[in-house]
Amino acid sequence: DIPIILADLACTGSEEMITDCEKNVYGITHCYSSEVAGLQCEDLCSDGDIRIPGGGSSGRVEVCVNKTWGAICDSLWSYTDASVVCKQLGYSPYGAIAARNGFIDINIPIQINSLNCQGFEDTIQDCNIDYDVSSECNANDQAGIVCQASNIISSDCANGEMRLSNHLYPTEGRIEVCINRVWGTVCDNSWSTADANVVCNQLGYYPSGAKPRYGAFYGQGSGPILLSDLYCAGSESNILECNRNMYGVTHCGHYEDAGVKCQGSFPVYASPTFGNMLGSEAVFITGPEFQPEDDITCVFDETEVDCTYISEEQCVCVAPEISSERIVELQLRINRNKAVLTGATSFRYIS
């Protein structure tokens, strides 16, 4: 056995020798051989190197600054930053997920405030790095990442764009979302009616009454799974605004691909006629929630006329003239983005 000659060390990290550290010189009298300390040293890293601890394609991002490994603050962590990091690590720059709130190590310093990459850079050293770490960034704010395989197929789509695939009707199907120019599916872990309503609203369909589908109801997709464990409140305008576990996608398979059935129709209420407009009856329509950019059409029997947006609750159209008093079907058609919403009621002509 060898004697214990140091105890209760309080090094700051700037000392050149361990004997320069503050210590309790009498502490050794209360130590036993079962309390002998050990350590594992790392080789010095090269500035600008990056890694994911433990290897693999997902986890905390660590960067070498001044020959020391440290983390990146996630407050300004972006999809373009993630794209460059994945490219530097040898993965695809497409489909990279900028993750937060996971795989925290409080023992490493946060050394970069933001990367400020544009997305086309080959390494983070080409980005406009901000090393002045904000005082508001703490040990729990460490940036992470989920990278995709290098052979993934890219697409000309925008972050957060949605589409429905493998369907018989345009109002339902397997949900696919775009992240970093790649289409991918959504895992059904924690998939809820509130999540489904956000998807339908984003697609332009009725913002309530959506039916979530589970277990690859509309068939299994291919490529990456890009979203999982969503916790939407229901008021979000884009699925990427919802809270989620960004690392949850690493535990999902395509047998869990989420789907949705949206409400493509809605109730329609025609007001009693409100006097004449251009020699014909003005009819106020309520029922759906209108948007200013909607292309709205009233169809009286087979005659189409425009319906003018008034508010979220109303539009007004002018009923075409008819030769006799009778009841006709009044259809309302809303073209919104790529979606078409419809509703119908009866309308009585009075001569």
Side-chain angles (χ1 to χ4, degrees):
D1 291 342
I2 60 174
I4 297 173
I5 58 175
L6 290 176
D8 301 305
L9 289 163
C11 301
T12 64
S14 60
E15 299 86 355
E16 294 185 0
M17 299 180 61
I18 197 168
T19 52
D20 296 332
C21 299
E22 293 288 333
K23 55 189 174 292
N24 175 9
V25 295
Y26 295 105
I28 59 174
T29 62
H30 307 293
C31 281
Y32 303 93
S33 57
S34 59
E35 300 173 281
V36 172
L39 56 82
Q40 180 177 352
C41 296
E42 280 193 315
D43 293 332
L44 292 175
C45 56
S46 299
D47 287 359
D49 285 352
I50 55 176
R51 70 179 184 183
I52 297 174
S57 59
S58 64
R60 182 180 63 257
V61 178
E62 293 186 359
V63 182
C64 183
V65 178
N66 294 327
K67 302 189 183 301
T68 303
W69 289 109
I72 303 171
C73 183
D74 67 9
S75 59
L76 297 174
W77 184 232
S78 70
Y79 287 114
T80 51
D81 296 335
S83 178
V84 176
V85 168
C86 287
K87 183 193 296 185
Q88 185 174 342
L89 287 169
Y91 297 102
S92 173
Y94 305 116
I97 300 172
R100 299 178 176 86
N101 304 322
F103 298 105
I104 303 301
D105 185 351
I106 62 172
N107 296 313
I108 68 168
I110 295 180
Q111 304 199 101
I112 292 179
N113 190 62
S114 59
L115 291 180
N116 302 307
C117 299
Q118 299 299 308
F120 57 80
E121 299 90 347
D122 291 323
T123 71
I124 63 168
Q125 292 293 80
D126 300 324
C127 302
N128 186 23
I129 300 177
D130 177 11
Y131 293 98
D132 186 14
V133 179
S134 169
S135 60
E136 297 180 0
C137 196
N138 58 54
N140 293 318
D141 301 323
Q142 298 179 8
I145 205 164
V146 178
C147 297
Q148 311 298 338
S150 58
N151 61 349
I152 199 166
I153 299 173
S154 64
S155 179
D156 186 19
C157 57
N159 284 334
E161 189 176 343
M162 303 286 300
R163 69 183 184 186
L164 300 180
S165 296
N166 204 37
H167 51 68
L168 292 176
Y169 305 100
T171 54
E172 60 182 294
R174 182 178 62 246
I175 301 165
E176 296 183 355
V177 62
C178 176
I179 290 180
N180 251 333
R181 297 182 60 188
V182 166
W183 286 107
T185 61
V186 177
C187 182
D188 65 9
N189 288 347
S190 302
W191 182 236
S192 70
T193 299
D195 304 334
N197 282 334
V198 171
V199 169
C200 291
N201 183 52
Q202 183 178 339
L203 290 170
Y205 294 112
Y206 212 55
S208 63
K211 293 183 179 179
R213 302 296 197 188
Y214 305 88
F217 184 88
Y218 296 102
Q220 294 187 21
S222 59
I225 300 172
L226 296 178
L227 292 178
S228 180
D229 300 280
L230 288 161
Y231 301 98
C232 300
S235 58
E236 298 86 353
S237 60
N238 187 291
I239 196 72
L240 296 187
E241 297 173 5
C242 299
N243 290 324
R244 65 188 188 275
N245 173 9
M246 297 183 180
Y247 295 105
V249 297
T250 61
H251 307 295
C252 286
H254 281 298
Y255 62 91
E256 299 171 281
D257 283 345
V260 69
K261 182 178 182 180
C262 300
Q263 293 293 331
S265 61
F266 46 78
V268 174
Y269 306 98
S271 70
T273 55
F274 187 76
N276 289 336
M277 182 180 293
L278 302 177
S280 298
E281 296 173 307
V283 182
F284 287 86
I285 305 294
T286 59
E289 181 178 306
F290 298 106
Q291 298 179 7
E293 61 274 16
D294 286 343
D295 179 10
I296 314 169
T297 303
C298 290
V299 184
F300 292 84
D301 208 357
E302 296 181 353
T303 305
E304 297 185 3
V305 296
D306 290 336
C307 197
T308 302
Y309 173 88
I310 297 176
S311 67
E312 289 185 356
E313 290 79 27
Q314 279 189 325
C315 73
V316 62
C317 58
V318 178
E321 294 185 10
I322 196 169
S323 59
S324 62
E325 180 177 316
R326 61 191 175 96
I327 297 175
V328 300
E329 183 183 51
L330 168 56
Q331 295 182 354
L332 188 70
R333 185 171 65 241
I334 301 175
N335 287 280
R336 180 180 297 163
N337 299 324
K338 297 179 181 180
V340 179
L341 294 85
T342 60
T345 188
S346 296
F347 178 78
R348 177 186 291 274
Y349 273 99
I350 300 176
S351 59

